[in-house]
Amino acid sequence: MDIETLHLGPFKIKNKIAIRLFSALDDRLGVKEIVDDEVFEKIVPAHLGFWSCFGGISFFLFISQALTGMLLMVYYQPTIEEAHATVAMIMNEVPFGWLVRGSHSWGSNLMLVTIMIHMVKIYVSGIYKPPRELNWVVGVTLLLLTMGLSFTGYLLPWTQLAYWATVVGTETPAALPYVGEYIRYAMRGGEEIGQVTLTRFFAIHVMLLPVITASVIGLHLVQIRRQGIAGPM
Amino acid sequence: MAEQTEYSKKKECEVKALPMEEKKRLVREGKAHWFFPGHIIEQVVLCGFVVLILITLSTVLPAHLGDKADPFDTPAHIKPEWYFLAAYYSLRLAEYTDFLGAWAPKIMGIVAQQIAVTILILVPFIDQNVNERRPGKRPVAMVLGFLAALTMVIFTILGHLI
């Protein structure tokens, strides 16, 4: 690209260094094509209204949860002696700790609300119909993953409510024939809920489920990009 | 080619391949918007709103931190978070199946939940009315969907009350 002016959508770039830099990237990675296709020359359906934005908001909340979660991990200690005390410290002593934990806690509730609104919208508008059947399946998986994240995250402050809700929650599958006892044992990491359970829930909450959820969100978005946003009915 | 299928029915790769003139025409006719900058600004503003809501909620109703867990002190009312209340109530409801035998109450609840989730996953394959998307023209899907949602709401409320 040996040019005087670089045209990027509405922008006209005349700065020589910027043009050389962009040209270098374009020669190696074909950046111009991507930027034009995905940003400047892209059109979206005009009718997108208020109810169409809840999928995107759920996605934003997932990112917000990841960020606030990382900040919480700076002070939180996943041991039955220290968990409650470190969360109390985050609330009372750490600068803006109350805001980070508040956003994480409210974010999880809000995320489930926005996912549910998103699902109702998709259902009522019949967007799950061909060619988008598979993306409905992926979407329901994301709802289940989010519930899994909520369930495992709930135990981490090691409060009375969290502890006993987990007692009940892990007791439920134990009723299943043959596999029930094993599921309970696997969830608790033993017969009782204790340090192993907390370690396990912590690992699942901050590593396993976020990585899986992020990947499945990727699958959700790739399908949307291939199929496009659903047009009017 | 461009005139054969309507814009709203096109796949993304077809839309992407439209000539610039055609895209401009769609925007002029009000059928489409440019992604940049309008749509992006919308998204950023929405995200800003979400951040504001999170900050407001955290300030007005700070996250609660209950007493430290005590394995030797069972509280009187153990209740899950609101999004698990419907599932929780369905387990309670399953206790009425004890006339089938002592095994029934616990298993029926879990099995019912599994069936509900399976049906939810399979919605696009159960609904054979593949071409009609307008809600007014899909009475069966609307009524069934409404009943399912109503059941969830009622179960959640009852789960909260017990």
Side-chain angles (χ1 to χ4, degrees):
Chain A
M1 246 195 281
D2 196 20
I3 44 170
E4 291 283 308
T5 323
L6 173 64
H7 291 272
L8 275 181
F11 302 114
K12 290 181 181 57
I13 297 164
K14 287 196 195 299
N15 184 309
K16 286 232 164 56
I17 301 171
I19 293 175
R20 295 243 335 240
L21 224 86
F22 190 85
S23 302
L25 276 177
D26 191 45
D27 290 343
R28 286 157 183 80
L29 299 165
V31 181
K32 180 91 167 68
E33 188 192 335
I34 297 176
V35 175
D36 281 345
D37 277 355
E38 303 296 324
V39 183
F40 295 121
E41 290 176 10
K42 182 179 165 183
I43 52 175
V44 292
H47 63 95
L48 299 177
F50 177 70
W51 298 109
S52 302
C53 70
F54 284 91
I57 291 182
S58 310
F59 177 47
F60 175 72
L61 280 169
F62 176 76
I63 294 169
S64 161
Q65 290 301 88
L67 294 176
T68 50
M70 283 177 208
L71 290 175
L72 289 173
M73 278 172 70
V74 174
Y75 288 98
Y76 174 76
Q77 289 178 25
T79 65
I80 56 177
E81 290 84 19
E82 293 298 327
H84 188 271
T86 50
V87 175
M89 184 182 77
I90 290 171
M91 292 299 285
N92 301 323
E93 291 167 39
V94 177
F96 295 103
W98 59 273
L99 182 60
V100 175
R101 175 157 182 261
S103 300
H104 198 72
S105 161
W106 277 111
S108 76
N109 286 285
L110 223 55
M111 196 172 158
L112 279 151
V113 173
T114 56
I115 290 176
M116 286 175 193
I117 296 174
H118 178 55
M119 285 182 81
V120 170
K121 155 76 187 166
I122 299 293
Y123 185 85
V124 171
S125 302
I127 296 169
Y128 59 85
K129 298 189 176 208
R132 297 183 175 82
E133 307 99 305
L134 208 57
N135 224 8
W136 170 273
V137 176
V138 173
V140 176
T141 315
L142 283 172
L143 170 71
L144 299 177
L145 284 167
T146 310
M147 293 181 102
L149 278 162
S150 306
F151 181 69
T152 49
Y154 194 60
L155 178 69
L156 301 188
W158 204 249
T159 60
Q160 269 291 72
L161 263 178
Y163 179 90
W164 291 99
T166 309
V167 169
V168 177
T170 50
E171 190 61 52
T172 310
L176 286 170
Y178 309 113
V179 291
E181 299 279 327
Y182 292 105
I183 294 177
R184 178 178 60 187
Y185 196 91
M187 284 170 90
R188 291 182 177 177
E191 296 296 341
E192 301 294 326
I193 290 180
Q195 180 58 56
V196 186
T197 323
L198 184 59
T199 308
R200 195 160 288 215
F201 272 47
F202 179 69
I204 295 172
H205 184 75
V206 304
M207 206 58 225
L208 186 69
L209 284 180
V211 169
I212 296 176
T213 308
S215 316
V216 180
I217 288 176
L219 217 59
H220 206 52
L221 295 178
V222 164
Q223 288 196 64
I224 296 171
R225 287 301 291 124
R226 293 303 292 173
Q227 295 162 337
I229 299 168
M233 288 170 246
Chain B
M1 260 308 277
E3 301 302 321
Q4 282 169 10
T5 40
E6 202 158 331
Y7 165 58
S8 64
K9 300 272 188 292
K10 279 188 197 302
K11 285 204 285 288
E12 183 74 10
C13 49
E14 294 170 317
V15 174
K16 202 192 271 184
L18 287 175
M20 203 49 186
E21 285 311 309
E22 179 67 13
K23 289 182 185 173
K24 281 181 181 163
R25 190 179 65 83
L26 285 166
V27 172
R28 250 199 331 272
E29 289 174 0
K31 288 180 181 160
H33 284 164
W34 291 114
F35 177 74
F36 182 91
H39 193 70
I40 289 188
I41 292 173
E42 258 176 53
Q43 300 294 313
V44 172
V45 169
L46 272 174
C47 293
F49 260 112
V50 175
V51 171
L52 272 181
I53 290 171
L54 285 176
I55 293 174
T56 311
L57 283 171
S58 305
T59 313
V60 180
L61 300 162
H64 179 69
L65 180 64
D67 294 333
K68 189 178 174 180
D70 181 358
F72 302 106
D73 172 24
T74 315
H77 300 286
I78 306 169
K79 223 172 268 181
E81 288 287 87
W82 63 270
Y83 37 84
F84 287 126
L85 283 175
Y88 171 70
Y89 184 74
S90 73
L91 291 180
R92 287 296 188 86
L93 209 58
E95 285 171 12
Y96 291 106
T97 60
D98 57 359
F99 62 88
L100 293 170
W103 57 272
K106 282 181 167 179
I107 296 178
M108 293 305 257
I110 304 172
V111 171
Q113 287 172 15
Q114 301 296 327
I115 292 173
V117 171
T118 310
I119 292 175
L120 187 66
I121 290 177
L122 294 180
V123 158
F125 310 102
I126 296 168
D127 187 350
Q128 290 298 313
N129 181 8
V130 289
N131 290 319
E132 183 57 64
R133 279 183 47 202
R134 282 165 294 182
K137 298 281 170 72
R138 295 156 53 217
V140 180
M142 285 304 110
V143 169
L144 289 179
F146 178 73
L147 288 178
L150 189 67
T151 310
M152 288 294 289
V153 171
I154 291 175
F155 274 27
T156 303
I157 294 171
L158 291 175
H160 178 72
L161 293 178
I162 54 171

